[in-house]
């Protein structure tokens, strides 16, 4: 049960030789895996590669037919360890996760894998979440590649290049006995395009064609003296093999241009952006023919020194476009050129900003500055610079015209989200008990740190909410609260947080938000999901797991009961009982719930069955426009509208059509003693005749009792 | 290099508005004509209610004319290179302007004029809405062509989602390189809610090309429904007449004709002084009349019961929750009356006695009621409360409110004798008193602090004093805890209320 169903897209994975595939980048990668003859696939969800997991989850028939094993791994570490299958056996495998947070988790296994080396091609597909729309710390995958000596692909972001590079990656991996990483930026994962397919390849070893002879080879074990030999092999055998393969297969591309004294070195992933900047400056045509020569690195690690020397040796200066920091690539190219005695000046971060995404505007400014410095003879640089300034000045013009910046629109909890009431309860609890240190976690609940709640002082990593309180809790006068999602709980929070806290006798409060899925990544199933895939009958129980490791104080509270949650929180914060106290906030992800019940309700209504629809509303003449209700909720469907009163100027609160009737508005009114303007309306669809009759009777009496507004005439009459 | 360039399209939308489906239609239209097309988006965390964008490029050349060449499309919108931008909401159009994407030489900008308010606008204690007037001017100045109209209303009218109207409008501008039929075919091909989508498309197309039905402008602002103007109101100067009329109507509706007379007496006094000062537009009278009416009609249980039992309210609820004709409706009110509500209806001395008697045990009186008002008994209960209106002038709350009102009016009069600006600021401060329970208490507390500061201040420079009152008034709305206000007036920050809660230190290892 994931947010998106890929039942239609799965059909595209069956396309054969010569067919045209049209779709998203991440689906094209999936198709490329099938064309490469992989035996097994794993991964852990996270933007922007969640869809790869989702689509594989929806294509069991296809995978089983080819004999490919797929699992939704328990964590990135689990996925990386899965690649261990390729150490001893000539089987191809691929895993995927969100980098760099996932790569951090996977690092232990990756180091060991890279040291042992692989027989079968091992590929790691990384969703590089950098820049616009990112939800994580801004770091690069590049460092992981360098430290473990794994090769890092950065394909040009068009489907043909991406698919080709996936296939080449397996061959490179086998030729150099080294795992290969392939990074795809957010927009490349979601890019819609097309490529010409090949047939899917059933792997030689598969769940249909089993291995009969297990292998033992001590040289693959990470113990001395094997580890010294493994390191030597990395340098003496695998690295040169990789460089030769990259050169021979021409994985990096050189494009000539008429301005031969200049040159641009561009990682594949940034190619389209650089070309667009050149197009805007009239230095490249629609089809990417550039006046400035380009060296495009579809493999950003390792470098191919002779290619770089050859590209730079005849130029008067070269510009490296390297996004993110540190500038590993630029520094490495410097070293290559200087050792070879190539004199051409190399520009990079001296022209481009050290940090931040290289957006269109940044690229335009950078290339403009490079041309301004280089002043090639055959180009009217002044004209180019005028064009550049006109374009890059537009943002300031826009800002100036608006005078005041428009309000930002940060992400937040969805309509009816079960996590919102928990943060409302924490906010109310702090009003009574004073401020409390809250250790937040990764998940949709990280939005609790944003307005209107601003609850949570630190975020240390997925599932690390409780672990991250272990240092501060003993130093704090009052108890601290930690937040953890059920996804984070199973990912590692159970061991790193709960088990550790029990074992170390920590006295603190943990709130587990049990919404049933990894909702932030698109509602993938976890061990405790209420609905599982058909071949997963098992649903694991969080409360049982807690009790199993000796947590004595465990209370399950329905998420939407703000008053109960408030009193349970107060109880947990003030009880004399020591040890870890866990509150399980139980409420299914509303996105998933709506997706699940909508078709059922529609069907029932069509069949004439009785259904009650719940909606909340606000009497706009009772509301006075203070908006305390919004400050305690932030629900997208609880919004404001112009005041209908001729006297009042402040907008009134209103509940819009999106309301799913979760009940939080009413709960908050009671728990926080807000105003009496809220009402709950339950509309009975396909009501019984009896209900209709009663309603008519009641309405006619109420109609007689109902009043009207008093006017001067009415009163004087 | 003069070759055919791709058409670049930016869709700025919010989560759940169908921006992805709109992208799919554009892709489908391009594919029908065999034009190379690319789309990207940044869902990421933006999918959860945040702002999101979809970016597309189409090369208006059929593939067979390309001789095997592949256009290089950008994955991100770049400054100045947008041919057409469509924003599903007005502030999102502002965001696009702010990003430098709108180019006078090239960009057609379409935006819906309705608002989906951002969280910072919604949580303000008063009016935190972004001023969109400047935004509209900026859009018209910076774009080559602009089409600003309420697309949401059109979508509602045609029973569809806003993305269909957006698509129609885009096609109508002629910037998309597809004829109308191709766009409509794309909608048909998608196979979902085809008829409604085509209606929405036609509405958007018609509006932009000027061939559609009556134009959609923002709904007219609500006018005061003053039916006939009483004689005493007619004697007020023109600039404030309508507002005083609305005030009279409000106060009459709240209590009685006599109460409205009291209101008029009070307004007349202020108006008289301001008239003597030769103020032509009567700003002090206007704001005093406004907030005096609202304050005199303070919110209490009687008022709530009164408003909740009106015929027009019952109709409004049915309409608001879109209940169909004949569908039974269960209605639940969330009321939590406490000791305060009871005392406020008692006469002053009895109220004081009761408050003292139960001091520290107020919580015990708070009952969270889920009151059904679609039942006769529930409705009758509200009717009973409503009938207490005649008792209201004898209640302790009434006495307290009148006392506070008198103090406020006295301050305004005093200030008016000195400076119109200060009086105007004091009049505006009347907006602090509103709401129920804690909100109302907080408002009273804040206004009292401002009045006390005014009464005690040695400042006699009108400009400084005006600034001081204005700063305090704005500060009072900055945070519910009153910290900013205290700082503004140079007072001690408010003490958190003492609570009988025992803090337990964490226990050492068991």
């Amino acid at each position: 049960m994931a947010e998106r169903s890929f039942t239609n897209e799965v059909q595209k994975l069956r396309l054969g030789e010569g067919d045209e595939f049209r779709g998203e980048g991440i689906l094209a990668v999936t198709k490329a895996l099938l064309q490469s003859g992989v035996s097994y696939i794993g991964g852990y969800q996270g933007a922007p590669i969640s869809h790869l997991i989702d689509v594989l989850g929806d294509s069991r028939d296809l995978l089983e037919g080819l004999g490919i094993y797929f699992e939704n791994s328990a964590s990135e570490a689990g996925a990386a360890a899965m690649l261990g299958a390729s150490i001893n056996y000539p089987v191809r495998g691929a895993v995927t996760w969100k980098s760099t947070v996932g790569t951090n988790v996977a690092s232990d296994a990756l180091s060991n894998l890279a040291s042992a080396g692989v027989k079968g091609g091992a590929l790691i597909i990384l969703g590089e979440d950098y820049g616009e729309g990112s939800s994580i710390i801004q770091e690069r995958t590049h460092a992981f590649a360098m430290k473990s000596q794994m090769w890092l692909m950065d394909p040009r972001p068009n489907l043909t290049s991406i698919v080709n590079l996936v296939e080449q990656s397996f061959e490179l991996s086998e030729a150099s006995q080294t795992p290969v990483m392939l990074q795809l930026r957010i927009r490349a994962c979601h890019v819609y395009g097309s490529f010409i397919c090949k047939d899917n390849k059933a792997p030689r070893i598969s769940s249909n064609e089993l291995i009969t002879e297990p292998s033992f080879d001590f040289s693959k074990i990470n113990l001395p003296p094997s580890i010294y030999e493994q390191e030597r092999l990395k340098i003496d055998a695998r690295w040169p093999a990789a460089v030769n393969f990259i050169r021979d297969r021409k994985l990096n591309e050189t494009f000539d241009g008429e301005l031969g004294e200049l040159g641009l070195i561009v990682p594949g992933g940034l190619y389209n952006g650089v070309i667009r900047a050149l197009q805007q400056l009239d230095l490249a045509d629609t089809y990417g023919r550039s006046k400035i020569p380009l060296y495009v690195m579809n493999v950003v690690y390792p470098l191919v020194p002779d290619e770089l020397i050859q590209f730079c040796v005849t130029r008067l200066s070269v510009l490296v476009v390297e996004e993110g920091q540190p500038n590993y690539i630029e520094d490495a190219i410097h070293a290559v050129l200087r050792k070879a005695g190539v004199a051409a000046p190399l520009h990079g971060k001296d022209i481009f900003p050290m940090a931040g995404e290289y957006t269109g505007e940044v690229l335009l400014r950078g290339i403009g500055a490079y041309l301004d410095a280089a002043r090639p003879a055959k180009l009217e640089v002044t004209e180019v610079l005028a064009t550049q300034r006109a374009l890059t000045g537009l943002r300031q013009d826009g800002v100036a015209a608006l005078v005041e910046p428009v309000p930002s629109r940060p992400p937040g909890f969805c309509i009816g989200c079960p996590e919102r009431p928990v943060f409302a309860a924490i906010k109310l609890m702090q009003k009574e008990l004073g401020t409390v240190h809250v250790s937040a976690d990764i998940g949709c609940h990280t939005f609790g740190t944003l307005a209107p709640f601003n609850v949570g002082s630190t975020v240390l990593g997925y599932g690390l909410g409780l672990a991250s309180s272990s240092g501060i809790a003993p130093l704090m006068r009052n108890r601290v609260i930690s937040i953890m999602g059920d996804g984070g709980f199973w990912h590692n929070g159970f061991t790193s947080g709960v088990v550790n806290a029990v074992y170390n006798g920590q006295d603190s409060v943990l709130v587990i938000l049990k919404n049933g899925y990894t909702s932030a990544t698109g509602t993938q199933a976890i061990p405790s999901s209420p609905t599982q895939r058909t071949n997963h009958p098992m649903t694991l129980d969080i409360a049982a797991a807690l009790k199993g490791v000796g947590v004595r104080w465990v209370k399950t509270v329905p998420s939407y009961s703000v008053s109960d949650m408030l009193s349970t929180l107060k109880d947990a914060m003030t009880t004399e009982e020591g040890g870890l106290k866990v509150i399980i906030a139980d409420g299914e992800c509303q996105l998933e719930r709506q997706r699940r019940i909508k078709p059922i309700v529609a069907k029932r209504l069509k069949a004439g069955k009785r259904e009650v629809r719940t909606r909340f509303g606000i009497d706009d003449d009772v509301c006075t426009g203070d908006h305390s209700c919004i400050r305690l909720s932030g629900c997208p469907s609880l919004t404001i509208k112009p005041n209908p009163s001729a006297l009042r100027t402040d907008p009134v609160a209103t509940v819009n059509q999106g309301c799913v009737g979760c009940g939080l508005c009413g709960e908050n009114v009671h728990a926080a003693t807000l105003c009496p303007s809220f009402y709950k309306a339950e509309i009975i669809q396909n009501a019984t005749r009896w209900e209709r009759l009663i309603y008519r009777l009641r309405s006619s009496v109420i109609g007689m009792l109902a009043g009207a507004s008093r006017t001067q005439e009415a009163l004087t009459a | 290099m003069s070759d055919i360039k791709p058409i670049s399209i930016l869709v700025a939308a919010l989560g759940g508005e169908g921006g992805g489906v709109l992208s799919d239609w554009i892709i489908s239209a391009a594919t029908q004509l065999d034009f190379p097309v690319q789309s990207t988006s940044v869902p990421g965390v933006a999918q959860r209610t945040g702002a999101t964008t979809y970016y597309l490029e189409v090369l208006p050349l059929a593939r067979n004319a390309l001789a095997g060449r592949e256009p290089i499309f950008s994955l991100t919108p770049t400054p100045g290179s947008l041919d057409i931008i469509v924003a599903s909401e007005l502030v999102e159009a502002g965001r696009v302007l702010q990003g430098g994407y709108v180019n006078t030489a090239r960009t057609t900008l379409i935006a819906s004029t309705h608002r989906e308010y951002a969280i910072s606008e919604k949580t303000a204690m008063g009016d935190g809405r972004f001023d969109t007037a400047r935004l509209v001017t900026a859009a018209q100045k910076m774009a080559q062509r602009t089409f600003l109209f309420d697309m949401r209303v059109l979508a509602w009218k045609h029973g569809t989602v806003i993305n269909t109207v957006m698509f129609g409008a885009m096609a109508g501008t002629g910037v998309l390189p597809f004829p109308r039929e191709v766009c409509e075919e794309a909608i048909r091909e998608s196979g979902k809610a085809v008829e409604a989508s085509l209606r929405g498309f036609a509405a958007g197309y018609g509006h932009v090309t000027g061939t559609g039905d009556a134009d959609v402008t923002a709904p007219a602002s609500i006018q005061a429904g003053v039916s006939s103007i009483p004689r005493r109101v007619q004697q007020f100067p023109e600039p404030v007449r309508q507002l005083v009329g609305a005030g009279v109507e409000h106060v009459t509706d709240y209590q009685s004709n006599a109460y409205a007379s009291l209101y008029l007496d009070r307004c007349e006094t202020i108006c008289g002084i301001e008239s003597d000062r030769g103020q032509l537009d009567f700003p002090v009278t206007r704001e005093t009349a406004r907030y005096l009416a609202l304050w005199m009609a303070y919110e209490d249980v009687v008022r709530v019961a009164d408003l909740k039992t009106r015929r027009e309210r019952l109709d409004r609820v049915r309409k608001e929750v879109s209940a169909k004709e004949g569908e039974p409706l269960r209605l639940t009110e969330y009321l939590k009356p406490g000791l305060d509500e009871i005392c406020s209806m008692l006469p002053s001395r009895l109220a004081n006695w009761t408050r003292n008697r139960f001091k520290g045990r107020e919580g015990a009186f708070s009952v969270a009621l889920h009151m059904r008002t679609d039942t006769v008994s529930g409705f009758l209960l509200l009717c009973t409360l409503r009938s207490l209106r005649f008792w209201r002038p004898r209640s302790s709350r009434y006495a307290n409110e009148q006392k506070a009102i008198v103090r406020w009016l006295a301050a305004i009069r005093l200030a008016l004798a000195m400076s119109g600006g200060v009086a105007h600021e004091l009049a505006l401060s009347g907006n602090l008193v509103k709401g129920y329970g804690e909100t109302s208490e907080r408002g009273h507390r804040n206004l009292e602090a401002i009045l006390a500061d005014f009464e005690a201040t040695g400042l006699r420079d009108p400009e400084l004093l005006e600034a001081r009152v204005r700063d305090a008034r704005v500060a009072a709305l900055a945070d519910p805890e009153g910290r900013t206000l205290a700082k503004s007036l140079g007072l001690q920050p408010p003490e958190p209320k003492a609570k009988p809660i025992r803090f337990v230190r964490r226990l050492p290892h068991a």
Side-chain angles (χ1 to χ4, degrees), chain A residues 22 192 272 276 282 286 409 433 519 619 622 626-627 638 647-648 650 670 680 682 695 710, chain B residues 1 4 39 48 57 73 92 116 122 124 253 290 299 306 313 318 330 332 336 434 436 503:
Chain A
R22 289 180 178 153
Y192 175 98
N272 287 38
R276 173 48 47 90
D282 213 19
T286 299
R409 218 184 277 278
L433 296 189
S519 298
D619 286 310
V622 181
D626 167 70
H627 315 139
L638 177 58
L647 296 167
R648 291 196 170 106
D650 294 336
H670 275 171
K680 177 169 81 175
E682 290 160 292
Y695 182 71
R710 283 168 292 276
Chain B
M1 296 187 187
I4 293 180
S39 86
R48 310 287 180 237
E57 294 197 4
F73 291 134
E92 292 316 307
E116 296 285 349
K122 297 200 294 183
D253 178 47
R290 181 195 307 281
E299 286 78 19
D306 191 353
R313 190 250 177 174
R318 283 199 70 91
R330 279 202 300 254
T332 310
K336 198 175 183 184
K434 62 181 173 186
Y436 305 82
F503 284 77

Side-chain angles (χ1 to χ4, degrees), chain B residues 466-483:
Chain B
E466 182 182 342
R468 187 173 172 88
V469 179
R470 185 189 310 116
D471 290 349
R473 179 172 62 80
V474 174
L477 292 175
D479 67 286
E481 291 81 21
R483 285 189 299 262

